[in-house]
Amino acid sequence: MKTSPSQQFKIDSSPSCDIIASCDQQVLDIAFGGDWILDARLPPLEPILTRLDAGNTIKKVTFSTTALGNWDSMLVTELIKIIDYASQKGVTVDKASLPASIQGLLTLVSAVPERVDAHRDQTQTSWSQALVVSTGKAVQHGKEMLIFVGEMIISTFATLRGQAHFRRQDLWLYIQECGPSALPIVTLISLLVGLILAFVGAVQLSLFGAQIYIANLVSLGMTREMGGLMTAIIMSGRTGAAYAAQIGTMHVNSEIDALKTMNLDPMAFLVLPRMLALIIIMPLLCLYADLMGIIGGGFVTVNFFDVSLTEYMDRTASAVKMKDFIIGFVKCSVFGILIALSGCMRGMQCGRSASAVGDAGTSAVVTAIVFIVVADSVMTIICNRLGI
């Protein structure tokens, strides 16, 4: 049977969309008809791709959209498959007959090629290689931290000499944010910590009938350790993460680059006020946390054990000395510096995406807590060695 120069073959058809391919000499015209939407049963593309793969008979591909109805991304996806396969086979694709909106989407797709390293190779590394990589990252983080601390020290001296721009109104704003605004959560946690210390101490002290010494345990534990430590942990999760998110967002919006363009030091303009605010407010929060913890311990001791309120207050006054408060204040001031450094450092190191801001906040909290625990351990050992 003879065949005409123009051969037509219809490739499957769904109730809403179909493809009709017409082959005329070396030109393959693909006509789209119906509604190419998400719920449609799409016809297969294999016959067209097979036709393109049939030797060198096809040199050019054109499209016809006269019978095309509604369409969405499904049509664009199928077009991309045809165009990519034709390009692999060296077949020219003429997109001039497509609607302008579809041509714009195809242009966007081709304008951003897939990165070569977009797909990670699943390779197994030995423990020695993992150790080397982890050590390299730790060294790099250490260098970045030293650079940040050095820049902070330089900015501090420049501010003291009046050579850096420092906004005092920002300092009072940050004091308000990390001070009075933090009182509710500090109150709750400190009361609960005092309750826990009282119950834990009472379990053993009640065996010897020495419930009166619960006051000593709670008052010394809160003033020397738990008051400052719990306040620092609360502030690292509340204020440190906020600092990292604020500065990270400014980095994403290129606000820090704008400050540098205006010859303003970001360290003095952004970091120093936040650090001073925490250094000033942390000892006050520590004193408040000590008071709330002692009140919480007194509530348990007076209501659940045979100890009067007067006896509890007398034992607390005799157990706690001024040096205990001073040690707690010094620790909290150091914790404030570490929280501000961790939050601001992670914010300045933030990438330029929304996920990077979230990672910066998480990293700031983790870094601050690690620094706080290490610093508290070191200062406790020093106080023990000095006999204070």
Side-chain angles (χ1 to χ4, degrees), residues 158-240:
T159 303
L160 294 176
R161 293 193 301 266
Q163 298 176 353
H165 188 77
F166 179 83
R167 298 182 61 185
R168 296 182 180 179
Q169 57 267 35
D170 288 347
L171 175 61
W172 297 114
L173 176 62
Y174 296 137
I175 288 177
Q176 171 67 26
E177 290 179 351
C178 65
S181 300
L183 290 179
I185 183 64
V186 173
T187 301
L188 176 62
I189 299 300
S190 300
L191 281 172
L192 294 179
V193 170
L195 290 171
I196 293 171
L197 285 177
F199 274 117
V200 170
V203 171
Q204 296 299 323
L205 293 175
S206 61
L207 298 176
F208 306 98
Q211 294 92 332
I212 188 64
Y213 292 104
I214 298 176
N216 299 59
L217 174 65
V218 173
S219 58
L220 288 175
M222 289 301 300
T223 55
R224 293 181 68 98
E225 289 294 337
M226 297 305 297
L229 184 61
M230 294 308 299
T231 301
I233 293 176
I234 293 170
M235 297 303 290
S236 66
R238 181 185 182 277
T239 305

Side-chain angles (χ1 to χ4, degrees), residues 239-274:
T239 305
Y243 286 173
Q246 291 169 2
I247 298 178
T249 303
M250 295 179 67
H251 198 271
V252 172
N253 296 334
S254 300
E255 296 178 37
I256 296 179
D257 296 334
L259 291 176
K260 295 178 181 178
T261 303
M262 293 185 293
N263 199 24
L264 296 177
D265 184 11
M267 302 297 292
F269 195 82
L270 301 175
V271 179
L272 189 57
R274 290 173 166 85

